Amino acid sequence: MIDLDRLNIQDEARFKKRIRTLKHHLLCRRNIGALWIGCALEETTRMIREIEHHDRSEKVEIIELHPFKQNWRDIVERSFFKQNTSTIAIVKRNDLAKSFKDSWNARLFSSIFERIDKSQEQYPESNLFILSDLETLEHLSSQRENLTLLEEGIFEQTSRLQNLENNNSIKNALLEGNIQDYIALSSFERQQRVNEIKSILSERDRVFSTQSDLGLELGNIFYFENQYQDAIASYDRVLETLSNSYKAWNNRGVALEHLEQYEEAIISFDRALKIKPDFDKAWYNKGIVLKELGRYEAAIESYNQALQYKTNEHDTWNNRGVALEKIGCYEEAIASYNQALRFKPDKAETWYNKGVALAQLGYLQEALNAYEKALEQQNNLHDAWNNRGVILRNLGRYEEALNSYDRAVQCKPNKYEAWNNRGVLLGMLGRYQEEQLAYDRALRCQPNNSEAWINQGVALASLGEIEVAILAYNQALQLQPNNPTAWYNKACCHALQTQFDLALESLQSAIELDPKTIQDWAKTEPDLDAIQHDPRFQKLLRQ
């Protein structure tokens, strides 16, 4: 979903400015899901004209949704998101339906969000514009984490879609053997044990069972020393003499997974399962690898098989929930996390993942509770602090949100998303000097992020530091020379500095990259008033 902007159509300059900002985000983000636009219904014709003019594919479909259309569910399902098509949906309400809380609006928006979730990846070159009254969208934005207030020209990122899988438990859950013994050994002690095993294996007349047990142990020690190739070689030697060792096939697959040789790992897990079909660890391991390959439905089926044989395995329920989230099944994911928490209620990662899923469904207070549960168990979980800040901001609890971002960067000082989000919120609160400092810290985390430099430029311009803002845009252009927004913002700054030749040169560069959008912006840009009567400016708008 793209961010919600508060349009104020009574102020003509601000209205045009926000139209420009909305188009800018359409330009920069291809698979945006939907663009939500708050405006009075009498302004919809004008909004449609603006968006149609901007559309690249030249395929635009306009539909109307209101309480008296009996088939609005079918319209949402059939008309939203067609290949290479921009759909403009006008949500019309009458005097009997003036609140989002009324049943028709609630059902309608629920259907829209469900359709967006299903179609966002399927139609990456299609766009959806939803025009409705500002009051409804303001209320809606306070209920959904991924519908976020946007300040003009500001990019926003969150880590809310980053799930935490319990892959850190691989070393004590996925291998076969005396795992706890290996964990307790120091590296020196493991090497001593390796030498002992090699000495024993070099002796003649060892029975196969002893050799296989020792070979498996040797592979496991290599594994815990992160010597995965040596581990695989040890498992292979076991399999040369005992080809039906499902334990060796399983452990071999785990080592291959760490080397990112996923297809070979699946073959190993399948060999283990052919020998022992009820081997829950191999089903679980296979699920992890399938997830890494993006085959989420197959991963879920593999986790289901593991749970059929061992129903109380917390990690399996947790990772199953992550895979369900990847395909948009948030309710099922929450149910899977709840099962995981039954068996391990103090697992911070699972509480965090549950918060992510709840936020996706718009259950902000419940998501906040889940993040706080995660932080009770692990108070240095920077992703949870950051996402908690996002939720608090959307609930209008701004100071608490700032404190949460502060805790995120205390846990991880180079947390770009938290510094960036802090800057966005400070800008909303009109604390521009602090905003600029937050973006400065974000740039220290990701100095090669062109959008971060654009954010910095916008913040500096808001403070009247036009020359320094130009330097920020120059830095963005060094990183991304074909960014039309950076060229356009630079043109505006030069015009404000009465550097008219430089302003026109920058504007020309922006227009060459995206003529339709930039020309449209320039026609109503107050910052370019000083060059509007220049013949060169008029020529650029016509070319």
Side-chain angles (χ1 to χ4, degrees):
M1 303 289 294
I2 201 167
D3 304 320
L4 172 66
D5 194 22
R6 298 175 181 272
L7 288 173
N8 181 2
I9 62 174
Q10 296 176 343
D11 184 336
E12 184 66 11
R14 290 180 64 81
F15 177 77
K16 291 180 179 179
K17 197 91 169 179
R18 288 195 165 109
I19 287 288
R20 188 192 77 192
T21 302
L22 294 170
K23 290 180 180 179
H24 156 70
H25 281 270
L26 175 60
L27 169 69
C28 291
R29 301 184 188 183
R30 298 306 176 105
N31 187 8
I32 62 170
L35 197 65
W36 300 76
I37 306 170
C39 61
L41 284 181
E42 57 267 26
E43 292 290 329
T44 56
T45 301
R46 181 181 176 193
M47 296 291 293
I48 290 170
R49 185 173 64 249
E50 294 273 1
I51 297 169
E52 282 184 303
H53 177 66
H54 175 72
D55 182 72
R56 292 178 179 75
S57 65
E58 298 182 356
K59 291 178 65 178
V60 179
E61 180 168 338
I62 301 172
I63 60 176
E64 293 184 0
L65 298 170
H66 54 72
F68 302 109
K69 283 199 172 184
Q70 301 299 316
N71 63 334
W72 57 264
R73 281 196 180 89
D74 292 335
I75 292 173
V76 169
E77 187 63 27
R78 288 185 291 102
S79 300
F80 284 20
F81 290 99
K82 295 183 178 179
Q83 191 65 38
N84 297 317
T85 300
S86 291
T87 302
I88 302 175
I90 306 170
V91 180
K92 288 193 172 182
R93 305 184 313 162
N94 62 7
D95 291 337
L96 299 177
K98 285 191 174 179
S99 170
F100 166 74
K101 296 178 182 179
D102 75 279
S103 60
W104 177 77
N105 259 332
R107 294 195 307 274
L108 170 64
F109 283 109
S110 177
S111 297
I112 292 174
F113 278 106
E114 181 179 353
R115 179 62 172 146
I116 291 168
D117 289 339
K118 288 180 180 178
S119 305
Q120 193 168 0
E121 294 184 3
Q122 185 178 0
Y123 301 111
E125 297 301 324
S126 299
N127 296 307
L128 171 63
F129 300 87
I130 303 167
L131 277 58
S132 187
D133 64 288
L134 184 58
E135 177 188 351
T136 294
L137 295 188
E138 284 182 343
H139 181 84
L140 185 62
S141 70
S142 70
Q143 303 300 311
R144 298 194 70 91
E145 182 187 30
N146 55 358
L147 198 64
T148 310
L149 179 65
L150 172 68
E151 282 293 309
E152 184 171 335
I154 299 298
F155 303 88
E156 182 174 14
Q157 295 180 336
T158 72
S159 57
R160 61 181 179 274
L161 295 181
Q162 296 177 357
N163 296 90
L164 300 178
E165 294 185 77
N166 291 335
N167 289 338
N168 62 334
S169 64
I170 287 175
K171 293 189 176 182
N172 64 4
L174 303 185
L175 290 177
E176 275 293 318
N178 298 322
I179 306 303
Q180 295 302 323
D181 291 344
Y182 308 139
I183 294 174
L185 295 176
S186 68
S187 182
F188 176 76
E189 290 170 327
R190 288 173 190 161
Q191 187 57 52
Q192 281 187 317
R193 182 57 180 158
V194 167
N195 294 335
E196 290 175 11
I197 293 172
K198 287 182 176 180
S199 176
I200 295 171
L201 289 173
S202 67
E203 299 176 9
R204 296 184 178 183
D205 302 326
R206 285 285 172 185
V207 297
F208 285 162
S209 60
T210 302
Q211 287 182 334
S212 63
D213 289 343
L214 290 172
L216 191 67
E217 182 181 354
L218 184 63
N220 291 350
I221 293 173
F222 282 133
Y223 174 85
F224 277 92
E225 286 295 300
N226 300 321
Q227 299 175 25
Y228 302 121
Q229 293 287 7
D230 290 335
I232 293 168
S234 295
Y235 300 139
D236 284 343
R237 282 192 291 271
V238 172
L239 293 166
E240 286 174 5
T241 57
L242 196 65
S243 61
N244 66 343
S245 173
Y246 64 89
K247 296 178 181 180
W249 282 115
N250 175 76
N251 292 9
R252 182 178 186 272
V254 174
L256 286 164
E257 187 266 337
H258 276 275
L259 293 174
E260 299 184 358
Q261 298 178 25
Y262 299 129
E263 295 294 348
E264 291 184 56
I266 289 174
I267 293 172
S268 282
F269 295 137
D270 284 342
R271 289 294 298 269
L273 290 166
K274 186 175 181 180
I275 299 164
K276 186 175 174 60
D278 62 349
F279 190 21
D280 62 284
K281 289 183 181 179
W283 282 115
Y284 172 71
N285 293 341
K286 184 179 178 181
I288 289 177
V289 173
L290 288 166
K291 188 275 301 179
E292 292 295 333
L293 292 170
R295 294 158 58 182
Y296 302 118
E297 290 87 352
I300 293 165
E301 179 56 33
S302 197
Y303 292 137
N304 288 342
Q305 290 288 341
L307 291 166
Q308 181 178 340
Y309 301 113
K310 190 174 183 181
T311 59
N312 64 344
E313 182 55 58
H314 164 271
D315 288 347
T316 308
W317 284 111
N318 179 78
N319 288 9
R320 178 178 180 270
V322 173
L324 285 163
E325 278 199 61
K326 293 290 187 181
I327 59 173
C329 297
Y330 301 115
E331 295 282 3
E332 292 179 63
I334 292 168
S336 200
Y337 296 139
N338 285 338
Q339 283 289 94
L341 291 166
R342 280 184 56 201
F343 302 115
K344 201 163 188 180
D346 61 348
K347 194 67 174 179
E349 291 93 336
T350 306
W351 281 111
Y352 172 87
N353 290 344
K354 183 179 178 181
V356 172
L358 287 164
Q360 288 287 354
L361 292 172
Y363 302 137
L364 299 190
Q365 186 59 53
E366 292 86 346
L368 180 63
N369 294 341
Y371 289 140
E372 290 180 344
K373 278 283 191 180
L375 291 166
E376 286 177 13
Q377 308 303 326
Q378 186 178 337
N379 65 5
N380 63 345
L381 198 60
H382 53 82
D383 282 323
W385 284 114
N386 180 67
N387 290 8
R388 179 178 180 271
V390 173
I391 296 289
L392 288 166
R393 185 205 58 204
N394 289 337
L395 291 173
R397 294 158 63 177
Y398 299 135
E399 290 301 327
E400 292 178 79
L402 284 174
N403 290 335
S404 203
Y405 295 141
D406 288 342
R407 290 297 301 270
V409 297
Q410 286 175 15
C411 299
K412 187 178 180 181
N414 64 342
K415 181 73 174 174
Y416 169 82
E417 294 87 355
W419 285 114
N420 190 76
N421 289 348
R422 192 175 192 277
V424 171
L425 181 51
L426 288 165
M428 290 169 52
L429 297 173
R431 294 158 62 175
Y432 301 120
Q433 188 68 47
E434 294 175 80
E435 174 195 19
Q436 189 271 324
L437 292 174
Y439 289 139
D440 185 62
R441 291 299 300 268
L443 279 167
R444 295 186 199 178
C445 304
Q446 293 188 13
N448 294 325
N449 187 320
S450 60
E451 291 187 351
W453 282 106
I454 293 175
N455 283 1
Q456 180 75 298
V458 171
L460 289 164
S462 298
L463 290 169
E465 299 181 25
I466 305 301
E467 292 182 4
V468 189
I470 291 172
L471 294 177
Y473 295 135
N474 284 340
Q475 187 65 36
L477 290 166
Q478 284 186 20
L479 297 166
Q480 192 180 0
N482 294 329
N483 188 312
T485 303
W487 281 113
Y488 182 80
N489 288 358
K490 185 181 175 184
C492 293
C493 286
H494 282 309
L496 292 172
Q497 291 288 85
T498 67
Q499 298 168 340
F500 300 140
D501 290 342
L502 292 174
L504 290 163
E505 288 174 12
S506 295
L507 184 61
Q508 181 175 354
S509 295
I511 289 173
E512 287 172 355
L513 291 167
D514 185 28
K516 186 181 295 185
T517 301
I518 302 301
Q519 286 172 338
D520 193 38
W521 290 357
K523 289 175 184 176
T524 57
E525 176 56 66
D527 293 344
L528 298 176
D529 284 348
I531 59 173
Q532 281 188 351
H533 300 295
D534 190 307
R536 294 172 293 175
F537 178 82
Q538 297 298 327
K539 183 179 179 181
L540 286 173
L541 294 189
R542 292 193 301 269
Q543 71 180 26

